[in-house]
């Protein structure tokens, strides 16, 4: 399986993502934001970080960079595009995913482990996943997902909520919502379910000596679904 | 502008110092030259009050590749890998503008590390604030924490450990000390020494603005009521540009184009160019019209003294200019050839085709003032008698809950959760333990780092306090299973012109030196911050020690949480029942005098080495160093983290 990780100026999880993808069997290539074309890929990843310093608005400048045209084309033709953290923000800025990511409710950067539950197993990302509640790590200042009522209705009607924040037992409520995201949304899919944006970082949880290992489950399952 | 004694004094120079400048130059300096002298001769850059004493610190060791004197220290960790690390203060700016002060402190120390060719792999910090009740504390704390996070998070370097302390002596002078560790291959370390004639001198990074002019001089002065007026001397950070600069520099460093490289930190273009020339025993000629400026009509004086952030000075091999420019263009950074190396051993500056400064380098460096300031020896305070009557009515559970809620002991998750501590995917011990631990990517090794201070002990008896912190740093590293290798120190003190403050400095340094020598735990880098004083009130003497150790097999790392029921709990080291200067005495009994606990270096070393041995034989499940709050707090933390109970006889 071939993957591509896009590097924007200010990306800082690009290497971590490439390490994780390689560990679980992807042949990964790094792609510079100023390139025109994507290499042949089964998965394109927009990594976390602070693309363009998050100036103006998180992800907005990256959403206009040269490579994005190819990413949009790839996504529209059904290719798998995964955006983590800043990558999620970029995907909403390009319009590939609905909604926006606002500043966290308590106006602080949050870096800690959280639990998310898988709501939707229709996508290649979560199909067949053997664990419904995953412990992953978040590290963001703008992860508070928000959208209009109409958008929310459409998201729900089309079963686009991929993962939502919850507690250890799977209960989603105010207490288990780290950033104020509407409906505890941690990650969403597009209608066609080939584009996933999520705030948690699976690439930071890929062996037992790190903060946890549930990231491994995510990647193993993903590559399994692609084979 | 005519330069005379009055102008010199306004620049923070003393009358005698101005006379010495005139004598060295054999003429009166012009205003640009005076600005340069004032920047190089101030306490922050020249170490004029501390140099004499710092020379006594042990700086050599089997694993030391580079000791003090470079941008950062370097130690060997085997297999051609080396760790570059240093701690630095950004106290004065952080008090004036907490967010930017702290942010640029983090940015500055990371630049010191990647200037040497190392990719930063971990950040730490030691921050001290006034009493939690003081009206400024909340705001300062919030700003500093946001600033540290704002910069470090954006660059993508994990903040793996640190400490936050409160004491009323910092009400008017907070301390912000930032530390960075970087990883480099032993044969790819870059130094600041220039070499060779007619080599191009390159300016890269951000443009030069009017921010931070005289920042280093501000950091060498005491504060008064008009402190708010100094806001323009605080630099403004741009972590995004620094991230680009980091990547661009490391890309250029992968080849062999660079002869010498130096970051523009305190005193900007002035200190960076002079340092390169001085180390290389060369001259440097700069054309200031070529310096990329952010604002129009900047004068040579402003260009030389600006402390705009995210800039580097590089001496390149001839003919490599195009190759280098291509890399910096790719990263959208400014790149300009601004001068060349010469054999004049002088700094010669040109602006609008006129020579605007002409100073022999040695007058700025070797001949800068060095003072043997008067200092007062501290007496060891008398021990307080333990009066058991005082304890009679105290319930241990009440005392414990009061001690656990002391701001210096309580849980600080809410602070370090604002710092990204897991980016780079190798953090195997997060903040909240005895030391932070990151793996050396792709190997079985890991490095542990901890930063410590114990101002109360240093205040009670500087000599003992100095030893104590080195021991604590050593103990913290041992507690996670790391072999301690070396330290960096950030020496935060009051006004060196006062015998008492100078005495605190001299004796703390002596204590540091004795302990680090005995433990074979040398000092490889550091900085000194004097004049932490507002309206005559100085801080408690606060040396912060950043210790670094190596874990050869990261799987053997130890954490402090209790793991299993029915495991045996051991106390290693003798409990003498010393209560003076403990949290219990100070907080519960309100008894603030008396000596700090005695240090026995022999026992310290013996206990630590024994413990490490046991750990390597997989006999230790959890370990925690007994420090602030004593055994009960140590046990409480182990229980809380491990969600286990503990029965103590």
């Amino acid at each position: 399986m071939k993957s591509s990780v896009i590097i924007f100026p200010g990306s800082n999880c690009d290497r971590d993502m490439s390490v994780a993808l390689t560990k679980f069997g992807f042949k990964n290539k790094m792609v510079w934001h100023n390139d025109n074309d994507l290499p042949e890929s089964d998965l394109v990843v927009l990594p976390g970080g602070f693309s363009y310093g998050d100036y103006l608005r998180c992800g907005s400048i990256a959403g206009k960079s040269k490579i994005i045209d190819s990413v949009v084309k790839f996504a529209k033709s059904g290719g798998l595009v995964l955006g983590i953290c800043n990558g999620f923000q970029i995907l909403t800025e390009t319009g590939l995913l609905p909604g926006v990511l606002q500043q966290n409710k308590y106006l602080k950067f949050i870096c800690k482990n959280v639990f998310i539950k898988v709501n939707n197993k229709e996508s290649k990302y979560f199909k067949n996943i053997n664990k419904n509640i995953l412990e992953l790590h978040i590290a963001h200042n703008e992860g508070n997902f928000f959208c209009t009522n109409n958008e929310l209705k459409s998201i729900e009607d089309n079963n686009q909520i991929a993962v939502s924040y919850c507690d250890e037992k799977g209960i989603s409520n105010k207490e288990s919502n780290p950033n104020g995201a509407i409906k505890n949304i941690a990650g969403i899919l597009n209608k066609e379910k080939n584009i996933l944006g999520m705030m948690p970082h699976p690439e930071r949880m890929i062996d037992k000596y790190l903060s946890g290992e549930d990231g491994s489950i995510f990647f193993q399952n993903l590559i399994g679904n692609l084979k | 502008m005519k330069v005379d004694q009055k102008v010199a004094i306004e620049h923070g120079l003393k009358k005698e110092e101005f006379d010495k400048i005139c004598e060295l130059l054999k003429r009166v300096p012009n205003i640009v030259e005076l600005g340069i002298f004032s920047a190089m001769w101030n306490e922050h850059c020249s170490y004029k009050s501390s140099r004499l004493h710092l020379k006594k610190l042990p700086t050599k060791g089997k694993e030391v590749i580079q000791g003090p004197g470079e941008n950062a220290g370097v130690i060997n960790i085997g297999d051609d890998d080396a760790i570059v690390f240093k701690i630095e203060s950004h106290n004065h700016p952080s008090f004036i503008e907490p967010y930017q002060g702290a942010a640029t402190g983090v940015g500055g120390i990371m630049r010191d590390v990647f200037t040497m060719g190392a990719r930063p792999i971990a950040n730490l910090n030691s921050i001290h604030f006034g009493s939690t009740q003081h009206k400024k504390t909340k705001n300062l704390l919030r700003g500093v924490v946001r600033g540290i996070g704002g910069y470090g998070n954006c660059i993508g370097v994990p903040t793996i450990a640190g400490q936050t302390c409160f004491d009323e002596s910092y009400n008017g002078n907070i301390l912000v000390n930032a530390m960075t560790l970087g990883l480099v291959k032993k044969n790819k370390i870059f130094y600041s020494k220039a070499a060779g004639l007619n080599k191009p001198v390159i300016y890269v990074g951000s443009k030069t603005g009017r921010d931070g002019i005289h920042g280093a001089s501000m950091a060498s002065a005491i504060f008064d009521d008009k402190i708010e007026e100094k806001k323009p001397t605080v630099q403004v950070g741009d972590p995004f540009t620094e991230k680009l600069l980091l990547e661009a520099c490391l890309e250029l460093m992968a080849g062999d184009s660079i002869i010498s490289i130096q970051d523009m930190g305190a005193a900007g273009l002035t200190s960076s160019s002079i340092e390169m020339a001085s180390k290389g025993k060369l001259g440097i000629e700069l054309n200031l019209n070529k310096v990329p400026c952010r604002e129009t009509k900047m004068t040579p004086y402003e260009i030389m003294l600006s402390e705009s952030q995210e800039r580097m000075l590089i001496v390149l091999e001839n003919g490599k200019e195009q190759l280098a420019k291509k890399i910096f263009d790719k990263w959208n950074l400014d790149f300009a050839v601004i001068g060349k190396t010469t054999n004049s051993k002088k700094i010669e500056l040109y602006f609008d085709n006129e020579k605007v400064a002409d100073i022999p380098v040695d007058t700025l460096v070797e001949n800068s003032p060095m003072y043997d300031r008067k200092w007062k020896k501290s007496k060891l305070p008398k021990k307080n008698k333990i009066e058991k009557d005082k304890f009679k009515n105290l319930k241990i559970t009440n005392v414990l809950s009061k001690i656990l809620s002391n701001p210096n002991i309580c849980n600080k998750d809410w602070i370090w959760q604002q710092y990204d501590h897991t980016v780079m995917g190798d953090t195997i011990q997060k903040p909240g333990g005895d030391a932070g631990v990151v793996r050396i990517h792709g190997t079985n090794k890991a490095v542990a780092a901890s930063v410590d201070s114990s101002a109360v002990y240093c205040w009670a008896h500087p000599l003992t306090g100095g030893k104590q912190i080195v021991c604590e740093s050593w103990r913290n590293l041992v507690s996670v299973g790391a072999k301690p290798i070396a330290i960096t120190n950030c020496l935060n003190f009051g006004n060196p012109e006062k015998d008492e403050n100078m005495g605190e400095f001299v004796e703390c340094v002596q204590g540091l030196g004795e302990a680090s020598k005995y433990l074979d735990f040398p000092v490889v880098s550091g900085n000194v911050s004097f004049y932490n004083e507002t309206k005559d009130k100085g801080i408690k003497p606060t040396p912060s020690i950043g210790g670094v150790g190596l874990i050869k097999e990261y799987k053997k790392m130890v954490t402090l949480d209790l793991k299993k029921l029915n495991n045996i709990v051991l106390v290693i080291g003798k409990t003498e029942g010393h209560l003076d200067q403990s949290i219990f005495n100070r907080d519960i009994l309100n008894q603030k005098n008396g000596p700090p606990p005695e240090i026995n270096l022999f026992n310290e070393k013996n206990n630590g080495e024994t413990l490490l041995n046991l750990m390597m034989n997989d006999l230790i499940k959890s370990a925690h160093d007994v420090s602030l709050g004593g055994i009960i707090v140590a046990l409480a933390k182990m229980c809380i983290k491990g969600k286990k109970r503990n029965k103590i006889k």
Side-chain angles (χ1 to χ4, degrees), chain B residues 470-487:
Chain B
V470 176
C471 292
E472 181 161 354
S473 171
W474 204 72
R475 228 179 286 146
N476 276 329
L477 297 173
V478 167
S479 300
V480 299
K483 187 185 182 302
I485 300 182
I487 57 179

Side-chain angles (χ1 to χ4, degrees), chain A residues 1-213:
Chain A
M1 288 297 127
K2 289 176 186 154
S3 60
S4 300
V5 172
I6 317 274
I7 307 175
F8 299 98
S11 294
N12 64 26
C13 303
D14 43 329
R15 188 201 68 171
D16 306 357
M17 183 51 83
S18 140
V19 168
L21 291 167
T22 309
K23 179 172 180 181
F24 295 99
F26 282 96
K27 274 207 161 76
N28 186 58
K29 276 197 177 146
M30 302 306 260
V31 181
W32 186 237
H33 71 108
N34 226 9
D35 290 353
N36 284 316
D37 301 313
L38 281 173
E40 197 193 310
S41 325
D42 301 293
L43 172 74
V44 171
V45 184
L46 309 184
F50 289 68
S51 58
Y52 295 91
D54 273 355
Y55 295 144
L56 196 56
R57 203 170 53 231
C58 302
S60 69
I61 305 177
K64 308 277 179 294
S65 60
K66 229 178 187 176
I67 192 73
I68 285 295
D69 290 342
S70 299
V71 174
V72 171
K73 224 164 108 191
F74 176 76
K76 296 233 158 122
S77 67
L80 291 193
V81 177
L82 169 65
I84 300 295
C85 199
N86 195 225
F88 185 10
Q89 294 161 347
I90 297 168
L91 288 173
T92 63
E93 286 290 339
T94 56
L96 286 173
L97 289 176
V100 292
L101 291 141
Q102 306 187 116
Q103 196 177 12
N104 297 340
K105 192 176 171 192
Y106 299 106
L107 310 179
K108 284 192 177 87
F109 188 96
I110 313 167
C111 181
K112 65 173 187 182
N113 278 16
V114 295
F115 291 96
I116 55 169
K117 72 178 167 205
V118 180
N119 295 321
N120 178 329
K121 292 196 183 176
E122 283 172 44
S123 72
K124 290 250 167 76
Y125 302 98
F126 295 107
K127 195 172 131 193
N128 302 324
I129 200 156
N130 57 13
K131 208 173 169 191
N132 286 329
I133 299 167
L134 301 172
E135 185 178 5
L136 290 181
H137 203 75
I138 53 166
H140 60 245
N141 195 45
E142 283 90 5
N144 179 356
F145 183 82
F146 182 79
C147 59
T148 62
N149 287 339
N150 285 343
E151 278 172 321
L152 185 63
K153 190 170 176 299
S154 151
I155 287 172
E156 286 183 313
D157 289 350
N158 292 299
N159 202 11
Q160 285 173 252
I161 302 178
V163 283
S164 46
Y165 301 110
C166 61
D167 63 14
E168 223 170 329
K169 295 188 187 100
I171 300 166
S172 281
N173 54 18
K174 224 172 139 186
E175 284 68 46
S176 55
N177 185 341
N179 53 27
I182 199 164
K183 296 268 175 185
N184 280 42
I185 288 174
I188 56 167
L189 294 154
N190 61 336
K191 278 182 196 161
E192 293 74 24
K193 317 285 189 293
N194 61 317
I195 307 171
L196 170 68
M198 66 175 185
M199 291 315 293
H201 289 269
E203 78 278 14
R204 295 193 190 182
M205 316 271 280
I206 53 166
D207 74 62
K208 67 175 180 180
Y209 294 95
L210 300 174
S211 306
E213 246 189 317

